[in-house]
Amino acid sequence: MTEIKIRQEKKEDYTTVEKVTRDAFWNLYVPGCNEHLIIHNLRNHEDYIPELTFVIEVDGRIVGSIFYSKTRILDESGKEIGQAITFGPVSIVPEFHNMGLGSKLINYSIDEAKKLGYKAIIIGGYPAYYQRFGFTGTKKFGLSLEDGNYYSGIMALELVPGTFDNVSGQIQFSSALEPDENELEEFDAQFPHKEKKVTASQEEFAKAASELDTKEY
């Protein structure tokens, strides 16, 4: 019988989790990936939320993880008027896809975020997937990206109803989620060689990431 366990990440897990993350994202959104570097740097960043970093194990093997960081909401002058948290990268290695592990990990972390008193989560991803967890476009709350646009792939979930009442503004994700690409090549050299390829999923992602939210909420 398969044993599935979710627990907090430990220091001794770091290298394994980085490898798992790399395997999960390789060639998915771009040729290669940078998500393993993101989590490597995030652990030492001021926006990191260690109490919401979890790994998921199948029969004692780490097969996925989820990381959280702080996100700010700014007014037109750049003044911070609110806060939320963001999960990502969230990953499951490809051979364990379609087992519901990603959903288990996300639901578990959302429940823990509520227990810790966090009020809202803002993420980027595919609406068709994240709507099942209660996420909706941030346009509903008057929360745009810093370019002033509302994108269908930028979504929010109020953990406390009414959190975003009277808090419209611009979303500023942590700078830790945008690593220096010059650092990536050196960091990636520590891992086994993988071939970078152009895939259909990359075109799909590029299209989804640029799609404006035209819904009426």
Side-chain angles (χ1 to χ4, degrees), residues 123-195:
I123 61 165
Y126 289 102
Y129 181 77
Y130 287 106
Q131 285 169 359
R132 73 185 72 179
F133 303 102
F135 284 89
T136 188
T138 57
K139 182 181 178 183
K140 175 181 179 180
F141 306 108
L143 299 172
S144 71
L145 287 189
E146 291 182 88
D147 62 5
N149 289 323
Y150 301 101
Y151 295 92
S152 59
I154 303 299
M155 296 160 282
L157 173 66
E158 290 183 318
L159 302 181
V160 177
T163 293
F164 291 131
D165 290 354
N166 305 313
V167 191
S168 61
Q170 296 181 343
I171 301 161
Q172 183 185 68
F173 291 112
S174 174
S175 60
L177 302 182
E178 298 181 5
D180 183 352
E181 291 300 315
N182 293 325
E183 183 185 355
L184 180 58
E185 184 175 355
E186 181 179 350
F187 180 72
D188 195 57
Q190 303 174 37
F191 297 84
H193 174 74
K194 281 179 175 285
E195 184 180 357

Side-chain angles (χ1 to χ4, degrees), residues 8-192:
Q8 284 193 309
E9 184 191 48
K10 302 175 183 177
K11 190 170 184 179
E12 54 264 36
D13 301 324
Y14 286 6
T15 300
T16 298
V17 172
E18 288 166 9
K19 184 179 184 301
V20 163
T21 300
R22 183 175 183 257
D23 290 342
F25 283 98
W26 195 260
N27 291 334
L28 182 61
Y29 297 144
V30 297
C33 71
N34 66 7
E35 282 79 4
H36 53 317
L37 176 58
I38 288 175
I39 64 173
H40 178 79
N41 291 340
L42 179 59
R43 295 189 188 103
N44 296 310
H45 197 278
E46 62 180 354
D47 293 331
Y48 178 49
I49 307 175
E51 61 268 28
L52 288 177
T53 297
F54 300 103
V55 298
I56 186 165
E57 297 178 331
V58 175
D59 293 334
R61 173 186 169 186
I62 295 175
V63 299
S65 64
I66 190 167
F67 285 73
Y68 276 78
S69 56
K70 296 174 184 176
T71 289
R72 295 163 183 81
I73 300 170
L74 313 176
D75 66 13
E76 292 182 356
S77 69
K79 178 183 177 182
E80 185 175 327
I81 56 174
Q83 276 197 356
I85 58 176
T86 293
F87 63 69
V90 53
S91 61
I92 302 293
V93 291
E95 65 186 279
F96 285 88
H97 283 183
N98 303 314
M99 293 177 57
L101 300 178
S103 293
K104 287 181 183 294
L105 195 53
I106 291 168
N107 281 321
Y108 182 88
S109 70
I110 289 173
D111 287 342
E112 290 301 304
K114 289 178 181 177
K115 292 176 185 177
L116 291 170
Y118 291 103
K119 296 181 178 180
I121 302 173
I122 298 175
I123 61 165
Y126 289 102
Y129 181 77
Y130 287 106
Q131 285 169 359
R132 73 185 72 179
F133 303 102
F135 284 89
T136 188
T138 57
K139 182 181 178 183
K140 175 181 179 180
F141 306 108
L143 299 172
S144 71
L145 287 189
E146 291 182 88
D147 62 5
N149 289 323
Y150 301 101
Y151 295 92
S152 59
I154 303 299
M155 296 160 282
L157 173 66
E158 290 183 318
L159 302 181
V160 177
T163 293
F164 291 131
D165 290 354
N166 305 313
V167 191
S168 61
Q170 296 181 343
I171 301 161
Q172 183 185 68
F173 291 112
S174 174
S175 60
L177 302 182
E178 298 181 5
D180 183 352
E181 291 300 315
N182 293 325
E183 183 185 355
L184 180 58
E185 184 175 355
E186 181 179 350
F187 180 72
D188 195 57
Q190 303 174 37
F191 297 84

